[in-house]
């Protein structure tokens, strides 16, 4: 007997999505994760526009991983123009990306609290997490110019340079933010504070193949972007059309295989992370926030305020480029083609959730429906990003 | 005192506004009872709310979203459009469709094009402090402070170009530089105490217009009249 469970709007994920599960004896046999957010069409939106607008525009694909998109787009356009920002520019860019990574991960942990943290501690943990979110958002405001969509981040480096006193201030405060984060960690990871769902996910071993290009920033030479193929969701599923036809997304494969991207992939490839259970994704995410704090500290030490932050005399011209960046949710790839006046001719992007969706559906087989819903959240799907991507030839 | 019962709905935004609302709400949780997707266990909606906040623009090619917005209007006496996409269209004004897998999603409109909106809060995204003050003004019923939000609810588009047309070209500009500070994309720069708009960077969010002391005065006067 196949029993059908349908969750019309999955709560506590970024964006709108539907979850359809087929169960047998209380265990999930098949899962459909159908994103239903409208396609805003950002690749088409930037066509014919100035590359400087493109960076501002693609930031607005997503309000959670804005900096990741801006970094990838700026990298791609710089690659096309054949320029490289000065060291300070690259460092600040990396710092902004890490601040964004912490923002995004912390928010994901807030959404996850309902599943993993026992009720007595739940609200308190959420408030503490949000206070860390507030403190770290201040870094984006001071370095990048806004708490979301940092406007100083642009092609060639940084548009406006933060004052030296601001940099010193940020440097002294980072320890404080870090310690308030470390205070919360036990409530998210240690046994007495965790729910049954967490225990069920600890039992489930799931070891897919991993893809990551860098621990902190992203490196286009560490992966082969040409081998990525994408198909619309309904083609990938190939059956149950009445469920899949509502989907507004595509899924992606690397070298014809499904791969997991995101915190666990990065930690496995670059940090010899050990946990193979689904709960390991949660642990990897927490670990990543901790090391991100360390790296921000390092970067703030290395910035030299007396040197340049941006490439001088940028000339727009024709060209092609690729930008690869490790977004909070995994490897993000932007392709750009500029026409002879330097305007955008073609823009394409591959976002991490496209890789993860097939795996999310695979991972839940054999779990209870309650845990299956939690796994969807655990992979931290970002629907706004995923529903705005175009098919590659 | 009884808490204000509010509900937040997202109809396809970038989530930036949602994070702002969440952060702002947690600071006023003693006076507001807001159901937001980030903290809900299961999606659940009652028949009536004192306030419904919508983020994101309406995709005109998706009938179910239009129906949803219309249904939400029926459920509340106060409908709030939050963020530039919901109020003036914002970056969604640039959408042209044609993108796989749904090339038919071509046209996006602000909420006020579909139903009557009571208050509009523009910004990309509006800051958490803005959320706090809005709730505070609403609960204390200070109409004077809500007037600007009310005025915005009648407008369907607003951008840096309107600021230049209505304020700078008419000679009303006093050169205070608020527009430069408020612009979320650094598209406005003051040159000789007058704003210069870098046209290709304007995302039509309307923040500069609403923040401009002169322009906001003009908007409020229209409501009073």
């Amino acid at each position: 007997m196949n029993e059908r469970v349908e969750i019309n709007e999955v709560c506590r994920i970024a964006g709108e999505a539907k979850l359809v599960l087929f169960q047998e004896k209380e265990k999930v046999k098949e899962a459909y994760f159908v994103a239903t957010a409208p396609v805003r069409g950002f690749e088409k939106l930037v066509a014919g526009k100035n590359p400087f607008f493109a960076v501002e525009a693609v930031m607005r694909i997503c309000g959670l991983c804005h900096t990741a998109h801006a970094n990838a787009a700026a990298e791609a356009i710089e690659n096309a123009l054949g320029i490289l920002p000065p060291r300070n520019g690259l460092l600040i860019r990396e710092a902004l990306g890490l601040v964004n990574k912490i923002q995004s991960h912390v928010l994901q942990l807030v959404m996850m609290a309902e599943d993993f943290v026992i009720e007595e501690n739940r609200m308190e943990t959420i408030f503490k997490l949000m206070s860390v979110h507030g403190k770290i958002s201040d870094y984006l405001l001071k370095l990048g110019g806004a708490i979301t969509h940092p406007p100083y981040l642009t092609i060639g480096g940084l548009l406006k340079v933060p004052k030296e006193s601001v940099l010193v201030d940020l440097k002294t405060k980072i320890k404080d933010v870090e310690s308030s984060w470390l205070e919360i960690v036990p409530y998210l990871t240690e046994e007495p504070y965790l729910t049954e769902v967490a225990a069920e996910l600890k039992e489930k071993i799931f070891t897919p193949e991993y893809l990551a290009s860098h621990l902190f920033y992203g490196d286009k030479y560490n992966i082969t972007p040409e081998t990525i193929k994408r198909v619309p969701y309904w083609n990938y599923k190939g059956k149950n059309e009445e469920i899949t036809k509502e989907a507004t997304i595509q899924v992606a494969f690397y070298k014809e295989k499904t791969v997991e991207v995101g915190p666990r992939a990065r930690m496995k490839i670059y940090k010899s992370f050990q946990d193979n259970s689904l709960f390991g994704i949660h642990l990897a995410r927490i670990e990543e926030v901790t090391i991100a704090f360390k790296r921000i500290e390092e970067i703030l030490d290395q910035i030299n305020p007396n040197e340049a932050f941006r490439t001088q005399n940028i000339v727009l011209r024709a060209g092609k480029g690729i930008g690869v960046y490790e977004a909070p949710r995994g490897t993000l790839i932007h392709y750009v083609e500029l026409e002879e006046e330097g305007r955008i001719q073609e823009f394409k992007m591959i976002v991490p959730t496209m890789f993860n969706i097939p795996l999310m559906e695979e991972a839940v087989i054999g779990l209870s429906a309650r845990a299956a819903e939690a796994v969807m959240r655990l992979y931290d799907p970002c629907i706004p990003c995923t529903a705005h991507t175009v098919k590659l030839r | 005192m009884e808490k204000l019962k509010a509900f937040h709905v997202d109809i396809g935004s970038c989530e930036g506004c949602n994070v702002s609302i969440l952060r702002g709400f947690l600071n006023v949780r003693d006076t507001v009872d807001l159901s937001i997707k980030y903290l809900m266990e299961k999606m659940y909606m009652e028949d009536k709310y004192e306030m419904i906040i919508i983020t994101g623009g309406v995709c005109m090619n998706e009938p179910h979203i239009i129906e949803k917005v219309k249904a939400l209007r029926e459920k509340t006496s106060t409908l709030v459009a939050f963020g530039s996409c919901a109020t003036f269209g914002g970056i969604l004004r640039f959408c042209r469709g044609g993108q796989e897998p749904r090339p038919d999603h071509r046209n996006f409109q602000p909420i006020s094009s579909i139903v009557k909106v009571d208050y509009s809060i523009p910004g990309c995204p509006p800051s958490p402090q803005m959320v706090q003050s809005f709730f505070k003004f609403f609960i204390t019923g200070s109409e004077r402070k809500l007037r600007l939000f009310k005025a915005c609810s009648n407008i369907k588009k607003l951008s840096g170009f309107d600021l230049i047309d209505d304020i700078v070209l008419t000679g009303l500009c006093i050169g205070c530089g608020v527009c430069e500070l408020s612009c979320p994309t650094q598209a406005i720069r003051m040159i000789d105490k007058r704003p210069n708009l870098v046209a290709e960077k304007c995302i039509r969010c309307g923040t500069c217009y609403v923040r401009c002391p002169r322009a906001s005065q003009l908007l409020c006067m229209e409501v009073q009249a």
Side-chain angles (χ1 to χ4, degrees), chain A residues 2-8 10 17-23 28-36 233-247 249 357-358 360-365 372-373 376:
Chain A
N2 270 356
E3 191 200 339
R4 181 173 160 156
V5 182
E6 205 171 312
I7 299 163
N8 247 328
V10 184
K18 206 170 162 174
L19 179 64
V20 182
L21 300 169
F22 291 97
Q23 280 184 311
V28 175
K29 262 193 78 188
E30 208 178 359
Y32 289 81
F33 183 78
V34 186
T36 52
Y233 184 76
W234 49 81
N235 284 359
Y236 158 67
K237 277 292 184 185
K239 56 177 181 177
N240 278 337
E241 206 180 284
E242 38 92 36
I243 303 173
T244 57
K245 71 173 182 211
E246 279 179 65
I249 49 162
I357 283 179
M360 281 154 62
E361 292 175 345
E362 201 187 312
V364 298
I365 293 169
E373 201 190 328
M376 297 298 145

Short mmCIF file of all heavy atoms in Angstrom, two decimals, chain A residues 2-8 10 17-23 28-36 233-247 249 357-358 360-365 372-373 376:
data_model
loop_
_atom_site.label_atom_id
_atom_site.label_comp_id
_atom_site.label_asym_id
_atom_site.label_seq_id
_atom_site.Cartn_x
_atom_site.Cartn_y
_atom_site.Cartn_z
N ASN A 2 0.67 2.06 -1.00
CA ASN A 2 1.36 3.34 -1.01
C ASN A 2 0.49 4.43 -0.42
O ASN A 2 -0.61 4.68 -0.89
CB ASN A 2 1.72 3.72 -2.45
CG ASN A 2 3.07 3.17 -2.84
OD1 ASN A 2 3.76 2.57 -2.02
ND2 ASN A 2 3.43 3.37 -4.08
N GLU A 3 1.01 5.05 0.60
CA GLU A 3 0.27 6.15 1.21
C GLU A 3 0.92 7.46 0.78
O GLU A 3 2.15 7.58 0.78
CB GLU A 3 0.34 6.00 2.73
CG GLU A 3 -0.60 6.91 3.47
CD GLU A 3 -0.17 7.10 4.90
OE1 GLU A 3 0.59 6.24 5.42
OE2 GLU A 3 -0.56 8.11 5.48
N ARG A 4 0.07 8.43 0.42
CA ARG A 4 0.63 9.68 -0.08
C ARG A 4 0.52 10.79 0.96
O ARG A 4 -0.55 11.03 1.50
CB ARG A 4 -0.11 10.07 -1.35
CG ARG A 4 0.40 11.33 -1.99
CD ARG A 4 -0.28 11.53 -3.33
NE ARG A 4 -0.17 12.92 -3.72
CZ ARG A 4 -0.24 13.32 -4.97
NH1 ARG A 4 -0.47 12.47 -5.94
NH2 ARG A 4 -0.14 14.60 -5.26
N VAL A 5 1.64 11.41 1.28
CA VAL A 5 1.64 12.54 2.22
C VAL A 5 2.02 13.78 1.43
O VAL A 5 2.99 13.76 0.68
CB VAL A 5 2.68 12.34 3.34
CG1 VAL A 5 2.64 13.49 4.33
CG2 VAL A 5 2.44 11.03 4.05
N GLU A 6 1.23 14.83 1.58
CA GLU A 6 1.54 16.03 0.82
C GLU A 6 1.65 17.22 1.76
O GLU A 6 0.76 17.48 2.56
CB GLU A 6 0.43 16.27 -0.21
CG GLU A 6 0.92 17.07 -1.37
CD GLU A 6 -0.10 17.13 -2.51
OE1 GLU A 6 -0.64 16.06 -2.89
OE2 GLU A 6 -0.35 18.22 -2.98
N ILE A 7 2.77 17.94 1.68
CA ILE A 7 2.93 19.17 2.46
C ILE A 7 2.92 20.30 1.45
O ILE A 7 3.84 20.45 0.64
CB ILE A 7 4.23 19.15 3.26
CG1 ILE A 7 4.20 17.97 4.24
CG2 ILE A 7 4.41 20.45 4.04
CD1 ILE A 7 5.53 17.58 4.79
N ASN A 8 1.83 21.07 1.49
CA ASN A 8 1.62 22.04 0.42
C ASN A 8 2.61 23.18 0.42
O ASN A 8 3.00 23.66 -0.62
CB ASN A 8 0.20 22.59 0.51
CG ASN A 8 -0.60 22.14 -0.67
OD1 ASN A 8 -0.05 21.96 -1.76
ND2 ASN A 8 -1.88 21.94 -0.47
N VAL A 10 6.15 23.95 2.40
CA VAL A 10 7.12 23.57 3.41
C VAL A 10 7.55 24.83 4.15
O VAL A 10 7.95 25.81 3.55
CB VAL A 10 8.35 22.89 2.77
CG1 VAL A 10 9.31 22.41 3.84
CG2 VAL A 10 7.92 21.74 1.89
N ALA A 17 7.99 25.95 -1.66
CA ALA A 17 8.14 24.62 -2.22
C ALA A 17 7.11 23.68 -1.62
O ALA A 17 6.58 23.91 -0.54
CB ALA A 17 9.54 24.10 -1.98
N LYS A 18 6.88 22.61 -2.37
CA LYS A 18 5.90 21.63 -2.00
C LYS A 18 6.63 20.30 -1.83
O LYS A 18 7.60 20.05 -2.53
CB LYS A 18 4.97 21.52 -3.21
CG LYS A 18 3.59 21.09 -2.95
CD LYS A 18 2.87 21.32 -4.27
CE LYS A 18 1.61 20.55 -4.30
NZ LYS A 18 0.84 20.86 -5.48
N LEU A 19 6.17 19.49 -0.89
CA LEU A 19 6.82 18.20 -0.70
C LEU A 19 5.77 17.10 -0.80
O LEU A 19 4.78 17.13 -0.08
CB LEU A 19 7.53 18.17 0.67
CG LEU A 19 8.24 16.89 1.05
CD1 LEU A 19 9.40 16.62 0.10
CD2 LEU A 19 8.77 16.97 2.47
N VAL A 20 6.00 16.16 -1.70
CA VAL A 20 5.08 15.03 -1.84
C VAL A 20 5.86 13.76 -1.52
O VAL A 20 6.92 13.51 -2.10
CB VAL A 20 4.50 14.95 -3.27
CG1 VAL A 20 3.52 13.80 -3.37
CG2 VAL A 20 3.84 16.26 -3.65
N LEU A 21 5.34 12.99 -0.56
CA LEU A 21 6.03 11.76 -0.16
C LEU A 21 5.13 10.56 -0.40
O LEU A 21 3.92 10.64 -0.17
CB LEU A 21 6.39 11.82 1.32
CG LEU A 21 7.30 12.94 1.80
CD1 LEU A 21 7.31 12.99 3.32
CD2 LEU A 21 8.69 12.77 1.27
N PHE A 22 5.70 9.46 -0.85
CA PHE A 22 4.97 8.20 -0.93
C PHE A 22 5.54 7.26 0.13
O PHE A 22 6.74 7.03 0.17
CB PHE A 22 5.09 7.59 -2.32
CG PHE A 22 4.36 8.37 -3.36
CD1 PHE A 22 5.02 9.30 -4.15
CD2 PHE A 22 2.98 8.22 -3.51
CE1 PHE A 22 4.33 10.04 -5.10
CE2 PHE A 22 2.29 8.96 -4.46
CZ PHE A 22 2.96 9.87 -5.24
N GLN A 23 4.65 6.78 1.00
CA GLN A 23 5.12 5.98 2.12
C GLN A 23 4.67 4.54 2.03
O GLN A 23 3.63 4.24 1.46
CB GLN A 23 4.54 6.54 3.42
CG GLN A 23 5.27 7.74 3.94
CD GLN A 23 4.67 8.15 5.26
OE1 GLN A 23 3.46 8.27 5.36
NE2 GLN A 23 5.51 8.35 6.24
N VAL A 28 9.36 6.38 4.15
CA VAL A 28 9.29 7.05 2.85
C VAL A 28 9.89 6.16 1.77
O VAL A 28 10.97 5.60 1.93
CB VAL A 28 10.05 8.40 2.91
CG1 VAL A 28 10.08 9.04 1.54
CG2 VAL A 28 9.40 9.31 3.92
N LYS A 29 9.13 6.01 0.66
CA LYS A 29 9.64 5.23 -0.47
C LYS A 29 10.12 6.13 -1.60
O LYS A 29 11.05 5.83 -2.33
CB LYS A 29 8.55 4.29 -0.99
CG LYS A 29 8.68 2.89 -0.46
CD LYS A 29 7.79 1.93 -1.22
CE LYS A 29 8.40 1.57 -2.57
NZ LYS A 29 7.46 0.81 -3.39
N GLU A 30 9.39 7.23 -1.75
CA GLU A 30 9.73 8.12 -2.85
C GLU A 30 9.39 9.55 -2.45
O GLU A 30 8.39 9.78 -1.76
CB GLU A 30 8.91 7.72 -4.08
CG GLU A 30 9.60 8.06 -5.36
CD GLU A 30 8.80 7.61 -6.57
OE1 GLU A 30 7.73 7.01 -6.43
OE2 GLU A 30 9.27 7.93 -7.68
N ALA A 31 10.21 10.50 -2.87
CA ALA A 31 9.96 11.89 -2.49
C ALA A 31 10.02 12.81 -3.70
O ALA A 31 10.80 12.58 -4.63
CB ALA A 31 11.00 12.33 -1.47
N TYR A 32 9.15 13.80 -3.69
CA TYR A 32 9.17 14.84 -4.74
C TYR A 32 9.27 16.18 -4.05
O TYR A 32 8.41 16.55 -3.26
CB TYR A 32 7.87 14.81 -5.56
CG TYR A 32 7.75 13.62 -6.47
CD1 TYR A 32 7.31 12.40 -5.97
CD2 TYR A 32 8.05 13.72 -7.81
CE1 TYR A 32 7.20 11.31 -6.79
CE2 TYR A 32 7.95 12.62 -8.65
CZ TYR A 32 7.52 11.42 -8.14
OH TYR A 32 7.42 10.34 -8.95
N PHE A 33 10.33 16.90 -4.37
CA PHE A 33 10.50 18.24 -3.81
C PHE A 33 10.27 19.22 -4.96
O PHE A 33 11.09 19.36 -5.85
CB PHE A 33 11.91 18.39 -3.23
CG PHE A 33 12.14 19.71 -2.56
CD1 PHE A 33 11.66 19.95 -1.29
CD2 PHE A 33 12.83 20.72 -3.21
CE1 PHE A 33 11.87 21.17 -0.67
CE2 PHE A 33 13.05 21.94 -2.59
CZ PHE A 33 12.56 22.16 -1.32
N VAL A 34 9.09 19.86 -4.94
CA VAL A 34 8.69 20.68 -6.08
C VAL A 34 8.71 22.16 -5.68
O VAL A 34 7.87 22.61 -4.90
CB VAL A 34 7.28 20.29 -6.56
CG1 VAL A 34 6.92 21.05 -7.82
CG2 VAL A 34 7.20 18.80 -6.79
N ALA A 35 9.65 22.90 -6.23
CA ALA A 35 9.70 24.34 -5.94
C ALA A 35 8.70 25.06 -6.83
O ALA A 35 8.59 24.76 -8.02
CB ALA A 35 11.10 24.87 -6.21
N THR A 36 7.95 25.99 -6.23
CA THR A 36 6.88 26.63 -7.01
C THR A 36 7.05 28.14 -7.12
O THR A 36 6.14 28.82 -7.57
CB THR A 36 5.52 26.33 -6.36
OG1 THR A 36 5.59 26.68 -4.98
CG2 THR A 36 5.14 24.89 -6.49
N TYR A 233 13.22 19.93 -14.07
CA TYR A 233 12.85 18.99 -13.03
C TYR A 233 11.96 17.88 -13.56
O TYR A 233 12.15 16.70 -13.24
CB TYR A 233 12.15 19.74 -11.89
CG TYR A 233 11.80 18.88 -10.72
CD1 TYR A 233 12.78 18.47 -9.83
CD2 TYR A 233 10.49 18.45 -10.50
CE1 TYR A 233 12.47 17.67 -8.75
CE2 TYR A 233 10.17 17.67 -9.41
CZ TYR A 233 11.17 17.26 -8.54
OH TYR A 233 10.87 16.47 -7.48
N TRP A 234 10.97 18.21 -14.40
CA TRP A 234 10.03 17.17 -14.85
C TRP A 234 10.70 16.15 -15.75
O TRP A 234 10.34 14.99 -15.75
CB TRP A 234 8.78 17.79 -15.51
CG TRP A 234 9.07 18.84 -16.55
CD1 TRP A 234 9.41 18.62 -17.85
CD2 TRP A 234 9.03 20.25 -16.38
NE1 TRP A 234 9.59 19.80 -18.48
CE2 TRP A 234 9.36 20.82 -17.62
CE3 TRP A 234 8.75 21.09 -15.29
CZ2 TRP A 234 9.41 22.21 -17.81
CZ3 TRP A 234 8.80 22.46 -15.50
CH2 TRP A 234 9.13 23.00 -16.73
N ASN A 235 11.73 16.58 -16.51
CA ASN A 235 12.45 15.62 -17.34
C ASN A 235 13.28 14.67 -16.48
O ASN A 235 13.39 13.49 -16.77
CB ASN A 235 13.39 16.32 -18.32
CG ASN A 235 12.64 16.93 -19.46
OD1 ASN A 235 11.42 16.81 -19.54
ND2 ASN A 235 13.35 17.59 -20.35
N TYR A 236 13.87 15.23 -15.42
CA TYR A 236 14.69 14.41 -14.53
C TYR A 236 13.84 13.35 -13.87
O TYR A 236 14.21 12.19 -13.78
CB TYR A 236 15.37 15.31 -13.49
CG TYR A 236 15.80 14.61 -12.23
CD1 TYR A 236 16.82 13.66 -12.26
CD2 TYR A 236 15.17 14.89 -11.02
CE1 TYR A 236 17.19 13.01 -11.10
CE2 TYR A 236 15.54 14.24 -9.86
CZ TYR A 236 16.55 13.28 -9.91
OH TYR A 236 16.92 12.64 -8.77
N LYS A 237 12.62 13.74 -13.41
CA LYS A 237 11.75 12.78 -12.74
C LYS A 237 11.14 11.80 -13.73
O LYS A 237 11.06 10.60 -13.48
CB LYS A 237 10.65 13.53 -11.98
CG LYS A 237 11.11 14.01 -10.62
CD LYS A 237 11.36 12.82 -9.70
CE LYS A 237 11.74 13.25 -8.31
NZ LYS A 237 12.08 12.10 -7.48
N GLY A 238 10.66 12.34 -14.84
CA GLY A 238 10.16 11.51 -15.92
C GLY A 238 8.85 10.79 -15.66
O GLY A 238 8.42 9.98 -16.47
N LYS A 239 8.21 11.00 -14.51
CA LYS A 239 6.92 10.38 -14.26
C LYS A 239 6.11 11.25 -13.29
O LYS A 239 6.60 12.29 -12.85
CB LYS A 239 7.08 8.97 -13.71
CG LYS A 239 7.93 8.91 -12.46
CD LYS A 239 8.01 7.51 -11.92
CE LYS A 239 8.84 7.49 -10.67
NZ LYS A 239 8.93 6.21 -10.02
N ASN A 240 4.89 10.81 -13.01
CA ASN A 240 3.99 11.58 -12.14
C ASN A 240 3.89 13.05 -12.56
O ASN A 240 4.12 13.96 -11.78
CB ASN A 240 4.44 11.50 -10.68
CG ASN A 240 3.95 10.23 -10.04
OD1 ASN A 240 2.97 9.64 -10.51
ND2 ASN A 240 4.63 9.81 -9.01
N GLU A 241 3.53 13.25 -13.81
CA GLU A 241 3.56 14.61 -14.35
C GLU A 241 2.67 15.58 -13.59
O GLU A 241 2.99 16.76 -13.47
CB GLU A 241 3.16 14.57 -15.82
CG GLU A 241 3.72 15.73 -16.59
CD GLU A 241 3.31 15.67 -18.03
OE1 GLU A 241 3.88 14.86 -18.79
OE2 GLU A 241 2.40 16.43 -18.39
N GLU A 242 1.56 15.05 -13.03
CA GLU A 242 0.68 15.98 -12.32
C GLU A 242 1.36 16.63 -11.11
O GLU A 242 0.99 17.73 -10.72
CB GLU A 242 -0.66 15.32 -11.93
CG GLU A 242 -0.58 13.86 -11.49
CD GLU A 242 -0.43 13.70 -10.00
OE1 GLU A 242 -1.02 14.51 -9.28
OE2 GLU A 242 0.29 12.77 -9.58
N ILE A 243 2.37 15.97 -10.56
CA ILE A 243 3.11 16.58 -9.46
C ILE A 243 4.21 17.49 -10.00
O ILE A 243 4.37 18.63 -9.55
CB ILE A 243 3.75 15.52 -8.55
CG1 ILE A 243 2.70 14.55 -8.01
CG2 ILE A 243 4.51 16.17 -7.40
CD1 ILE A 243 3.28 13.38 -7.25
N THR A 244 4.96 16.99 -10.97
CA THR A 244 6.17 17.70 -11.38
C THR A 244 5.90 18.92 -12.26
O THR A 244 6.75 19.79 -12.36
CB THR A 244 7.13 16.77 -12.13
OG1 THR A 244 6.44 16.22 -13.25
CG2 THR A 244 7.62 15.65 -11.25
N LYS A 245 4.74 18.99 -12.90
CA LYS A 245 4.54 20.08 -13.87
C LYS A 245 4.53 21.46 -13.22
O LYS A 245 4.78 22.46 -13.85
CB LYS A 245 3.25 19.85 -14.66
CG LYS A 245 2.00 20.05 -13.84
CD LYS A 245 0.75 19.99 -14.66
CE LYS A 245 -0.44 20.25 -13.75
NZ LYS A 245 -1.65 19.58 -14.12
N GLU A 246 4.26 21.51 -11.91
CA GLU A 246 4.23 22.80 -11.23
C GLU A 246 5.63 23.36 -10.96
O GLU A 246 5.78 24.51 -10.61
CB GLU A 246 3.52 22.65 -9.89
CG GLU A 246 2.02 22.66 -9.98
CD GLU A 246 1.42 22.49 -8.60
OE1 GLU A 246 1.61 23.38 -7.76
OE2 GLU A 246 0.80 21.45 -8.35
N ALA A 247 6.64 22.51 -11.08
CA ALA A 247 7.99 22.91 -10.68
C ALA A 247 8.49 24.05 -11.56
O ALA A 247 8.21 24.11 -12.76
CB ALA A 247 8.93 21.72 -10.78
N ILE A 249 11.88 24.80 -11.51
CA ILE A 249 13.33 24.69 -11.36
C ILE A 249 13.94 23.66 -12.30
O ILE A 249 13.24 22.88 -12.94
CB ILE A 249 13.73 24.30 -9.92
CG1 ILE A 249 12.89 23.09 -9.49
CG2 ILE A 249 13.56 25.45 -8.98
CD1 ILE A 249 13.47 22.38 -8.31
N ILE A 357 19.11 19.03 -5.06
CA ILE A 357 17.74 18.54 -5.06
C ILE A 357 17.63 17.03 -5.33
O ILE A 357 16.96 16.32 -4.57
CB ILE A 357 16.84 19.40 -5.97
CG1 ILE A 357 16.51 20.69 -5.22
CG2 ILE A 357 15.55 18.66 -6.35
CD1 ILE A 357 15.66 21.67 -5.94
N PRO A 358 18.32 16.47 -6.36
CA PRO A 358 18.20 15.02 -6.54
C PRO A 358 18.67 14.23 -5.31
O PRO A 358 18.07 13.21 -4.96
CB PRO A 358 19.12 14.74 -7.73
CG PRO A 358 19.25 16.02 -8.43
CD PRO A 358 19.12 17.09 -7.40
N MET A 360 18.62 15.30 -2.13
CA MET A 360 17.66 15.46 -1.03
C MET A 360 16.57 14.42 -1.14
O MET A 360 16.15 13.83 -0.15
CB MET A 360 17.01 16.85 -1.12
CG MET A 360 17.87 17.96 -0.59
SD MET A 360 17.48 19.54 -1.34
CE MET A 360 15.80 19.77 -0.84
N GLU A 361 16.13 14.19 -2.38
CA GLU A 361 15.05 13.22 -2.58
C GLU A 361 15.53 11.81 -2.33
O GLU A 361 14.78 10.95 -1.88
CB GLU A 361 14.49 13.37 -4.00
CG GLU A 361 13.76 14.69 -4.16
CD GLU A 361 13.29 14.93 -5.58
OE1 GLU A 361 13.76 14.22 -6.48
OE2 GLU A 361 12.46 15.83 -5.77
N GLU A 362 16.81 11.55 -2.65
CA GLU A 362 17.37 10.22 -2.45
C GLU A 362 17.62 9.94 -0.96
O GLU A 362 17.37 8.83 -0.48
CB GLU A 362 18.69 10.15 -3.23
CG GLU A 362 19.16 8.76 -3.56
CD GLU A 362 20.55 8.80 -4.16
OE1 GLU A 362 20.78 9.62 -5.08
OE2 GLU A 362 21.41 8.04 -3.68
N ALA A 363 18.08 10.97 -0.26
CA ALA A 363 18.50 10.79 1.13
C ALA A 363 17.37 10.38 2.06
O ALA A 363 17.60 9.70 3.06
CB ALA A 363 19.16 12.07 1.65
N VAL A 364 16.14 10.78 1.73
CA VAL A 364 15.05 10.55 2.69
C VAL A 364 14.45 9.16 2.62
O VAL A 364 13.63 8.80 3.46
CB VAL A 364 13.91 11.57 2.49
CG1 VAL A 364 14.41 12.97 2.74
CG2 VAL A 364 13.29 11.45 1.11
N ILE A 365 14.85 8.36 1.63
CA ILE A 365 14.24 7.03 1.49
C ILE A 365 14.53 6.19 2.73
O ILE A 365 15.67 6.06 3.16
CB ILE A 365 14.74 6.35 0.19
CG1 ILE A 365 14.19 7.14 -0.99
CG2 ILE A 365 14.32 4.89 0.12
CD1 ILE A 365 14.76 6.81 -2.32
N ALA A 372 11.85 13.22 7.11
CA ALA A 372 12.05 13.56 5.70
C ALA A 372 11.91 15.06 5.48
O ALA A 372 12.69 15.67 4.76
CB ALA A 372 11.05 12.81 4.83
N GLU A 373 10.92 15.63 6.16
CA GLU A 373 10.73 17.07 6.02
C GLU A 373 11.94 17.81 6.58
O GLU A 373 12.39 18.81 6.01
CB GLU A 373 9.45 17.48 6.76
CG GLU A 373 8.88 18.79 6.28
CD GLU A 373 7.78 19.31 7.17
OE1 GLU A 373 7.05 18.49 7.76
OE2 GLU A 373 7.65 20.54 7.28
N MET A 376 14.85 17.97 4.13
CA MET A 376 14.71 19.03 3.14
C MET A 376 15.32 20.32 3.66
O MET A 376 16.01 21.04 2.98
CB MET A 376 13.23 19.27 2.81
CG MET A 376 12.54 18.09 2.21
SD MET A 376 13.29 17.64 0.64
CE MET A 376 13.14 15.88 0.67
#
